[in-house]
């Protein structure tokens, strides 16, 4: 596939790296010659210097030959115009990243009719990632499946966990194996698929999936030391902080949003229904201690300043926060913060954007896709049609690629279940499949077989 990327910034570079790994032909457009040079020095990418919203620049980049245009420049209008002009040149698929709610929530404008196939709001995707981190404290990462009816969770094995001491073949609570699917184990930087003789050790990173209600019960048994947060402090009332607070209002947790600008704090207070908005400095330890109470407190730094977010997390730790997470965009900062353990979780904004765009790029048979931050490979949702060779077969009889795992199945609007060997697949089922990088080509061939049948 020939892909034209408008915007060679952090998100553009991250997408370009992913697309190159999937053997696509790339052209990148950006008015910043340094950004283009940095991109071309590391990847096999053709570059064109200029404004992606300029039709003549797009023509120079060969837009008429592109199969897909992905516009991820910093300016919303540039992205929208690039997609509109690309469609006018005959490009079949376009993706535009936007930051303003005025675009992503507009009901009076049909962007698809204008030429934008997919409109992705970076703050919505980012808020979703943060929300997943908060709702399962201690999790390495969380990925939703089937509109949050199921989920995949990665957790480190605690020294007191009942998972220790027995192999999966001799699992102490075998009833869980029909409801929870273990899909990966990371130990010493190496990733493997759990087998019958697998024994977990303290510190292992274990990834498993199941229905949301089953995950909750499994965690109570396998991770009894995990405590849910009772209070959440969202530091920063910008677009990201406000959207995160809105999501958190649906939970049982008490939510506090701290915003230094009184005018912006007033906007947030009017937009939120249950969260407590504090007009104050999130770096002030007294502010944090005043809301800590006696319960478990999480502090989530969402401002646009990496430095502010890092310092805020350190202050929150000193003031009683049990968990801290920071939005950090700089790769240099991410490396320093992670290597020194300065915060409990670093959230990289590029990952959320990549997930949303990749799921669209993969085509009609893939309903969703997720790149897991620490686990190599991808988590895919694949819809079976009646002609697919897997339809009507039991999972134990499938020729599943060696480094891929069939995780769960959604059937119809209500039925979701973990895939066991006896599960018989049906046309119309949506399959959640986890694939290591070496299995992605094989999984793609399976999807292509379906698409052509």
């Amino acid at each position: 596939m020939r892909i034209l990327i408008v915007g060679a910034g952090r998100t553009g570079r991250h997408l370009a790296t992913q697309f190159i790994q999937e053997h696509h032909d790339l052209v990148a457009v950006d008015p910043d010659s340094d950004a283009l040079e940095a991109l071309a020095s590391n990847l096999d990418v053709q570059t064109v210097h200029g404004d992606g919203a300029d039709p003549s620049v797009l023509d120079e980049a060969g837009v008429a030959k592109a199969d897909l245009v992905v516009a991820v420049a910093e300016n919303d209008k540039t992205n929208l115009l690039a997609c509109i002009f690309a469609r006018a040149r005959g490009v079949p698929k376009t993706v535009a990243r936007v930051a303003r709610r005025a675009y992503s929530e507009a009901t009076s404008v049909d962007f698809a009719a204008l030429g934008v196939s997919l409109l992705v709001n970076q703050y919505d995707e980012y808020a979703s990632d943060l929300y997943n981190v908060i709702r399962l404290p201690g999790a390495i990462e969380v990925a939703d499946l089937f509109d949050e009816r199921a989920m995949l969770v990665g957790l480190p094995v605690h020294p007191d966990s009942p998972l220790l001491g027995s192999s999966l073949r001799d699992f102490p609570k075998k009833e869980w194996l029909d409801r929870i699917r273990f899909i990966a184990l990371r130990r010493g930087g190496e990733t493997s698929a759990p087998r019958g003789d697998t024994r977990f050790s303290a510190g292992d990173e274990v990834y498993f999936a199941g229905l949301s209600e089953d995950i909750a019960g499994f965690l109570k048994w396998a991770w009894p030391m995990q405590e849910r947060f009772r209070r959440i402090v969202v530091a920063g009332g910008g677009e990201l902080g406000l959207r995160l607070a809105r999501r958190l209002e649906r939970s049982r947790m008490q939510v506090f949003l701290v915003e230094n600008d009184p005018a912006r704090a007033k906007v947030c207070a009017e937009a939120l229904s249950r969260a407590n908005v504090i007009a104050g400095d999130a770096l002030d330890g007294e502010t944090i201690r005043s809301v800590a109470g006696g319960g478990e407190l999480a502090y989530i730094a969402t401002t646009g300043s990496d430095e502010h977010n890092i310092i805020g997390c350190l202050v929150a730790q000193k003031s009683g926060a049990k968990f801290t997470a920071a939005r950090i965009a700089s790769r240099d900062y991410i490396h320093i913060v992670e290597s020194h353990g300065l915060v409990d979780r670093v959230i990289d904004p590029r990952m959320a954007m990549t997930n949303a765009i990749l799921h669209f790029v993969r085509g009609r048979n893939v309903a969703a896709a997720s790149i897991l931050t620490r686990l190599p490979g991808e988590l895919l949702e694949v819809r079976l049609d009646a002609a697919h060779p897997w339809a009507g077969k039991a999972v134990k009889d499938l020729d599943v690629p060696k480094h891929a795992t069939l995780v769960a199945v959604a059937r119809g609007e209500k039925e979701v279940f973990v895939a066991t060997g006896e599960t018989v697949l049906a046309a119309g089922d949506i399959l959640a499949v986890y694939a290591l990088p070496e299995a992605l080509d094989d999984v793609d061939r399976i999807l292509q077989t379906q698409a052509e049948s």
Side-chain angles (χ1 to χ4, degrees):
M1 182 184 297
R2 183 178 176 86
I3 301 176
L4 193 158
I5 298 177
V6 175
R10 292 189 180 97
T11 302
R13 290 197 299 272
H14 194 63
L15 281 168
T17 300
Q18 196 65 40
F19 289 146
I20 287 293
Q21 291 176 354
E22 297 183 4
H23 311 295
H24 297 298
D25 295 325
L26 297 187
V27 181
V29 174
D30 199 288
D32 185 339
S33 56
D34 291 338
L36 291 175
E37 183 178 350
L39 182 64
S41 65
N42 293 298
L43 298 171
D44 182 16
V45 179
Q46 178 186 343
T47 62
V48 174
H49 181 260
D51 183 357
D54 185 335
S56 63
V57 172
L58 293 177
D59 286 338
E60 182 183 349
V63 65
K65 300 177 182 179
D67 301 295
L68 170 71
V69 168
V70 179
V72 290
E74 294 300 320
N75 187 287
D76 287 358
K77 294 179 181 179
T78 295
N79 294 334
L80 292 171
L81 286 173
C83 289
I84 292 170
F85 292 146
R87 179 59 59 81
R89 293 291 194 270
V91 179
K93 294 182 180 180
T94 64
V95 179
R97 176 181 75 170
V98 296
R100 294 184 61 192
R101 281 184 293 162
Y103 293 129
S104 59
E105 297 180 2
T107 58
S108 59
V109 179
D110 186 350
F111 283 104
L114 292 175
V116 183
S117 305
L118 178 68
L119 198 67
V120 181
N121 186 293
Q122 62 191 49
Y123 294 117
D124 282 340
E125 302 301 329
Y126 203 1
S128 178
D129 275 11
L130 282 169
Y131 175 69
N132 281 334
V133 167
I134 295 167
R135 63 178 170 157
L136 284 178
I140 301 163
E141 54 192 323
V142 179
D144 280 315
L145 299 170
F146 311 134
D147 297 324
E148 300 188 9
R149 289 180 289 172
M151 64 175 68
L152 181 146
V153 180
L155 276 167
V157 178
H158 193 275
D160 298 327
S161 173
L163 291 175
L164 300 177
S166 300
S167 67
L168 288 180
R169 186 176 292 112
D170 302 318
F171 204 68
K173 291 280 188 178
K174 288 187 178 297
E175 60 268 26
W176 280 119
L177 297 183
D178 291 328
R179 298 156 66 187
I180 298 296
R181 178 79 155 148
F182 289 94
I183 70 162
L185 167 67
R186 281 183 60 80
R187 178 182 295 164
E190 297 294 325
T191 302
S192 62
R195 304 298 181 191
D197 59 353
T198 296
R199 292 177 183 270
F200 298 123
S201 301
D204 285 350
E205 296 178 2
V206 179
Y207 286 77
F208 51 92
L211 303 190
S212 298
E213 57 268 27
D214 288 337
I215 290 289
F218 181 64
L219 290 176
K220 288 181 180 180
W221 173 74
W223 278 267
M225 65 294 301
Q226 294 297 122
E227 295 187 36
R228 295 292 182 100
F229 299 126
R230 297 181 182 178
R231 293 174 173 83
I232 306 291
V233 172
V234 178
E239 284 297 316
L240 174 58
L242 180 57
R243 287 169 185 259
L244 176 60
R246 279 176 170 169
R247 283 179 174 265
L248 290 170
E249 282 189 318
R250 302 199 299 261
S251 72
R252 297 179 179 178
M253 294 176 283
Q254 192 172 6
V255 183
F256 299 87
L257 187 148
V258 182
E259 169 55 46
N260 195 41
D261 181 354
R264 180 61 186 178
K266 183 179 179 181
V267 171
C268 292
E270 293 173 349
L272 297 169
S273 59
R274 192 173 65 82
N276 302 280
V277 177
I278 300 173
D281 187 356
L283 298 182
D284 182 1
E286 287 300 321
T287 300
I288 306 304
R289 284 189 288 272
S290 69
V291 301
E296 296 293 309
L297 175 71
Y299 178 95
I300 315 298
T302 68
T303 77
S305 167
D306 288 355
E307 295 86 352
H308 192 287
N309 292 339
I310 295 168
I311 295 172
C313 286
L314 297 177
V315 171
Q317 290 170 3
K318 294 289 186 182
S319 303
K322 301 299 183 182
F323 177 87
T324 58
R327 166 192 179 178
I328 302 178
S330 167
R331 294 302 301 171
D332 291 336
Y333 280 155
I334 289 174
H335 174 72
I336 293 171
V337 168
E338 289 185 335
S339 62
H340 292 279
L342 299 181
V343 304
D344 294 304
R345 182 62 53 82
V346 171
I347 307 298
D348 184 346
R350 288 165 294 182
M351 196 59 67
M353 287 297 303
T354 302
N355 286 347
I357 294 172
L358 277 178
H359 119 221
F360 175 79
V361 171
R362 283 188 168 272
R364 70 175 180 89
N365 292 312
V366 179
S370 178
I371 295 178
L372 299 163
T373 306
R374 293 176 62 85
L375 196 62
E378 294 183 30
L379 183 64
L380 310 172
E381 289 183 10
V382 185
R383 182 182 296 276
L384 291 185
D385 62 27
H388 194 276
W390 283 6
K393 290 186 178 181
V395 171
K396 64 182 180 181
D397 298 324
L398 299 181
D399 185 20
V400 179
K402 181 179 179 181
H403 297 288
T405 303
L406 184 52
V407 179
V409 180
R411 181 168 295 162
E413 296 183 359
K414 297 182 179 180
E415 193 175 5
V416 175
F417 44 89
V418 170
T420 67
E422 303 302 320
T423 300
V424 176
L425 304 180
D429 284 351
I430 300 177
L431 315 181
V433 180
Y434 168 68
L436 284 167
E438 53 265 41
L440 285 173
D441 286 344
D442 290 334
V443 172
D444 278 342
R445 277 193 289 273
I446 291 173
L447 301 184
Q448 190 65 29
T449 297
Q450 172 170 310
E452 294 175 350
S453 59

